Amino acid sequence: MMSKYEPLWQYLQNNGSQILQLSYEEIETVLGFPIDHSFLNAKKEAVAFGYTVGKISMKEKHVTFHKEK
């Protein structure tokens, strides 16, 4: 079963940056919907695409992703 966040993980994988910071708005553009609390449970899925979810800033409204080595 595909996660609703899979387009985001594929976006990260295609980007290939070591560190990538995306605003909530950018993430919403990639996904087609705003992230919500389910994102916290889904963030472990990013590992399968070579990334870990780093800092999630509620105040600054961005998420930092780190490429696995």
Side-chain angles (χ1 to χ4, degrees):
M1 189 177 111
M2 189 173 115
S3 162
K4 70 179 188 174
Y5 292 104
E6 190 158 327
L8 176 60
W9 312 141
Q10 289 176 345
Y11 176 85
L12 294 174
Q13 193 174 45
N14 292 336
N15 182 284
S17 295
Q18 288 299 315
I19 298 175
L20 188 62
Q21 184 174 294
L22 296 174
S23 68
Y24 287 9
E25 193 174 301
E26 289 169 313
I27 292 170
E28 183 174 346
T29 299
V30 170
L31 292 173
F33 59 88
I35 59 172
D36 56 28
H37 287 291
S38 71
F39 180 74
L40 297 174
N41 296 323
K43 68 182 188 176
K44 63 185 178 294
E45 298 169 2
V47 174
F49 293 86
Y51 280 83
T52 53
V53 177
K55 184 176 181 202
I56 301 172
S57 174
M58 303 302 263
K59 185 177 168 210
E60 295 168 24
K61 297 192 181 305
H62 62 68
V63 181
T64 305
F65 302 92
H66 300 274
K67 188 172 176 65
E68 291 285 284
K69 294 186 174 35

